[in-house]
Amino acid sequence: MSNIKEYVRQREGSNISKIVIDRDLCIGAASCLAVSGETYNLDNENKAVVIDADSVDDDTLIMSAESCPTKAILLFDKTGKQIFPK
Amino acid sequence: MEKYKYVIIGGGAAGVSAAETIRQTDKGGSLAVVSDEPHALYSRVMLSKPNFFLGKIPFDQVYLKGDDWYKENQIQFLGSKTAVSLDGTNKILSLSDGSQLEYEKLLVAIGVRVRTLNIPGADKQGIHYLRTLEDGKKIMEHIKTGKKAVTIGGGFISFEMIDLLKLAGLETTSILREAYFWEPILDEPSGLMIENALTKNGIKIIKQVEIAEVTGAETVDGVTLKDGTHLPCDLLMCGIGVVSPIDWIKQSGVATNKGILANEYLETNLPDVWTAGDIAEYKDLLLEENVQMGNWVNAKEQGRIAGLNMVGNDRHPFKFISFYTTQGLGITIAFVGDVAPGQDRIIIPRGSPAINSYARIIIVGQELVGATLINRTAEMSTISKLIENNTDISTHHADLADPNFDLKKLLG
Ligand SMILES: Cc1cc2nc3c(=O)[nH]c(=O)nc-3n(C[C@H](O)[C@H](O)[C@H](O)COP(=O)(O)OP(=O)(O)OC[C@H]3O[C@@H](n4cnc5c(N)ncnc54)[C@H](O)[C@@H]3O)c2cc1C
Ligand code: SF4
C-alpha cells in the first residue's frame, strides 16, 4: 500500500545513504523544510520531495526527520539499517 | 515545595521542543514539564489526517516521544496536572493537585483550546470538537456508526474533517457563517475552488447561516438554523475557532491581549517568564506587528528559541516566516507569510480558478509579504525566501502575474 519515494545520498563522510519519504504519511506540515530548506521542498500535492540529498550534514538531516509530526521521513545507513525513526 | 531550575507549562510541540533544546545545552539543570494531559508528546496534527483517522497506520504512530524519553533526559513529566495560579514575584507556580513548584525560569506554552457552542442543546452527545487525543478517539469511534454529519465552520478543522467524514462514508453537510471558506484570508474565487472540490465530492454546503439550536433528546438528532431550516444529523462536528486559556494567569500581572504578549525574544513582561507556541502573541520582526500563529512548525521553532533564551546569556530573536498547508478532497491549500487582509496590500493574481491553479501574491510597497496558494504549494518555499530577502519586486508585477514564470528567477 505504501507510496514511498527513495533518494540516494552520497555525501562524503556521511553515515546516511538513503532518505525515504512516505508520501502516505506526509501531510505537508513543512517542518522538515523549516529545519533544512536545502534538502526539501513541497510539491503541488503538499508532499515533501528531496531536492538535494547531499546538501546538509547528518545532524541536520536527523533533526529534519525528527521534526516531522507524522514520522514520514525515514533515514537509512550504508548497511541498509533504518536509523530513524528508531 | 519542589524546586526546579526550569519549569515548562504545556507538553505540546512548543513545550517539548523547549525542553529538548534546554537539555541539549544544560545537561544538569532540573527541568519539569507540567501538562493537564496525561500523554507524552503526541502529534496533534495527525488527529485530523486520513491515514491516522481511518486507522490505516497503527494508532501508536501518533506518539512522537515515549515515556522513556523523559526519563532518559531527566525531565520530570508532571502529567494530568493543571497550572492554576502564578506568583511571578516569588516565582511560584501552583498546580491543581495543591502542590507548588518554585522555578528559576518559566515557559508558558499552554496552546489554545477549542471554542465551544453556546446555544440551546450544546450539551448533547454526538457533538464533537477536535484538539486532543481524547477528542480524536471519540470521533474515530463515532464515525463507525454515524450516518449523517453536519460540520460547522469555514476553517481548516472543518475542511479537513469534511474530507474525513466523507472518506468514512458519512453523508455530510457543511455549514458556514461566512460567504466562503477561509473568508477573509482567501478571496472569493479561491473560496469557490474549495467549494467546487467539496460539492464535486457530494458535500452539501450551506453558507451565510448560523445554527440556532441542536435538537435531540440526549443525543443529537439534528440542528436548526437561524432561518428555521432543520437538518437531521447524528454527528455534529464543530470547528468554530479557538480561545486562549489565560484567565488563570492574568492575575499574575502577565500582559495579555488575545494571547500572552511577548517581544521578539519571546519574553513576557514578567522577569524570567517566556511564552511560545499557539498561545504566544509575539512581536513578529518580519511583519513588524504582534501576531499569534496556530501551526506546528511555528510552535516547534518558538519552543526551540525560547529554550535557547532560557538557558543562555545570548538572546536569540524569533525570526521566522510562517507557513501553513492543508489538503483534502483533491485540493491543496497553502498560506505563507502575512496573509491578513489590509488596505495597504496589493494583490496580484497568479493563475486562475479556471486552470485549477491559483495563487494570490500579497505585496506591501516594494516587497512581497505573503501569498495564498491553491494547488501551487511547490512555490511556497521560493516565496518564503523572497519575503525573507526583502526582494524588491516592484518591477516584476507582470512576472508575478504569469503563472508560468519561474519565481526562482527573482531570487537572484
Ligand atoms: C486537529 C488538528 C490538526 C492540526 N493540523 C495541523 C497541520 O496540519 N499543520 C500544522 O502546522 N498545524 C496543525 N495544527 C496546529 C498544531 O497542532 C498546533 O499549532 C500545535 O500543536 C501547537 O503547539 P503548542 O505546543 O503551542 O500547543 P499545544 O499542542 O496545544 O500544547 C499545549 C498543552 O498545554 C496544556 N495546557 C493548557 N493549559 C494548561 C495549564 N493551565 N496547565 C497545564 N497544562 C496546560 C494543553 O492541554 C496542551 O496539552 C492542528 C491542530 C489540530 C487541533
Ligand atoms: S515534516 Fe513531515 S509531514 Fe511535514 S512536509 Fe516534511 S515530511 Fe511531510
Side-chain angles (χ1 to χ4, degrees), chain B residues 351-378:
Chain B
S352 70
I355 60 165
N356 201 25
S357 168
Y358 177 54
R360 291 159 63 246
I361 308 285
I362 306 168
I363 294 172
V364 175
Q366 266 93 53
E367 289 169 18
L368 221 155
V369 296
T372 66
L373 305 157
I374 303 205
N375 295 336
R376 294 186 80 90
T377 308

Side-chain angles (χ1 to χ4, degrees), chain B residues 48 74 83 88 123 152 160 187 189-190 214 220 222 230 239 243-245 290 312 320 325 336-338 349 411:
Chain B
S48 60
Q74 291 162 309
D123 54 353
I152 318 177
E160 292 185 358
D187 63 352
S190 310
V214 183
V220 180
H230 185 258
V243 291
S244 299
N290 276 357
F320 186 69
T325 72
V336 51
D338 182 6
L411 282 172

Side-chain angles (χ1 to χ4, degrees), chain B residues 176-248:
Chain B
L176 343 182
R177 194 173 54 193
E178 296 80 8
Y180 54 87
F181 273 83
W182 272 278
E183 183 184 11
I185 292 175
L186 287 179
D187 63 352
E188 200 163 354
S190 310
L192 287 177
M193 287 176 80
I194 298 170
E195 215 173 297
N196 282 340
L198 261 57
T199 26
K200 241 196 266 164
N201 281 281
I203 312 291
K204 214 163 108 200
I205 307 172
I206 309 178
K207 298 181 288 186
Q208 288 176 296
V209 286
E210 282 184 51
I211 151 174
E213 186 183 351
V214 183
T215 59
E218 261 169 40
T219 2
V220 180
D221 70 11
V223 294
T224 308
L225 306 181
K226 282 199 176 152
D227 65 7
T229 319
H230 185 258
L231 304 169
C233 69
D234 47 37
L235 188 157
L236 180 61
M237 179 70 224
C238 310
I240 52 174
V242 291
V243 291
S244 299
I246 49 177
D247 284 343
W248 66 274

Side-chain angles (χ1 to χ4, degrees), chain B residues 273-412:
Chain B
V273 180
W274 288 258
T275 185
D278 284 7
I279 194 63
E281 186 175 339
Y282 61 98
K283 169 109 189 288
D284 188 302
L285 289 176
L286 296 154
L287 309 178
E288 287 163 21
E289 57 196 22
N290 276 357
V291 292
Q292 190 175 4
M293 295 289 172
N295 68 70
W296 184 267
V297 195
N298 181 73
K300 211 169 145 54
E301 184 60 17
Q302 282 193 359
R304 189 179 74 83
I305 295 292
L308 284 175
N309 288 343
M310 288 166 78
V311 177
N313 305 317
D314 295 345
R315 288 160 94 212
H316 302 261
F318 176 73
K319 219 174 162 182
F320 186 69
I321 292 159
S322 170
F323 33 71
Y324 190 84
T325 72
T326 179
Q327 59 271 315
L329 303 153
I331 192 164
T332 64
I333 306 165
F335 302 104
V336 51
D338 182 6
V339 292
Q343 300 239 309
D344 56 340
R345 282 146 167 80
I346 304 168
I347 293 179
I348 300 185
R350 179 172 167 81
S352 70
I355 60 165
N356 201 25
S357 168
Y358 177 54
R360 291 159 63 246
I361 308 285
I362 306 168
I363 294 172
V364 175
Q366 266 93 53
E367 289 169 18
L368 221 155
V369 296
T372 66
L373 305 157
I374 303 205
N375 295 336
R376 294 186 80 90
T377 308
E379 293 182 328
M380 187 174 82
S381 96
T382 306
I383 291 173
S384 150
K385 281 183 201 130
L386 290 170
I387 301 174
E388 193 174 349
N389 298 347
N390 299 320
T391 312
D392 182 346
I393 44 85
S394 50
T395 58
H396 293 285
H397 287 199
D399 292 336
L400 292 170
D402 173 3
N404 299 315
F405 174 81
D406 182 1
L407 295 178
K408 287 198 200 80
K409 287 189 187 150
L410 299 177
L411 282 172

Side-chain angles (χ1 to χ4, degrees), chain B residues 117-135:
Chain B
L117 285 176
N118 186 13
I119 50 169
D123 54 353
K124 295 195 195 309
Q125 278 169 32
I127 304 181
H128 297 282
Y129 303 91
L130 183 53
R131 181 80 195 175
T132 65
L133 194 52
E134 278 63 35
D135 296 338

Side-chain angles (χ1 to χ4, degrees), chain A residues 21 25-33 42 46-48 64 67-70 72-73:
Chain A
I21 310 268
L25 284 179
C26 175
I27 50 139
S31 307
C32 56
L33 264 79
L42 289 185
N46 277 9
K47 306 286 182 190
S64 71
S67 80
C68 174
T70 59
I73 304 174

Side-chain angles (χ1 to χ4, degrees), chain B residues 16-43:
Chain B
V16 170
S17 158
E20 198 162 19
T21 307
I22 291 171
R23 229 351 135 239
Q24 275 158 12
T25 331
D26 183 348
K27 303 266 185 246
S30 54
L31 167 52
V33 174
V34 181
S35 172
D36 60 4
E37 295 194 64
H39 311 289
L41 178 69
Y42 64 88
S43 179

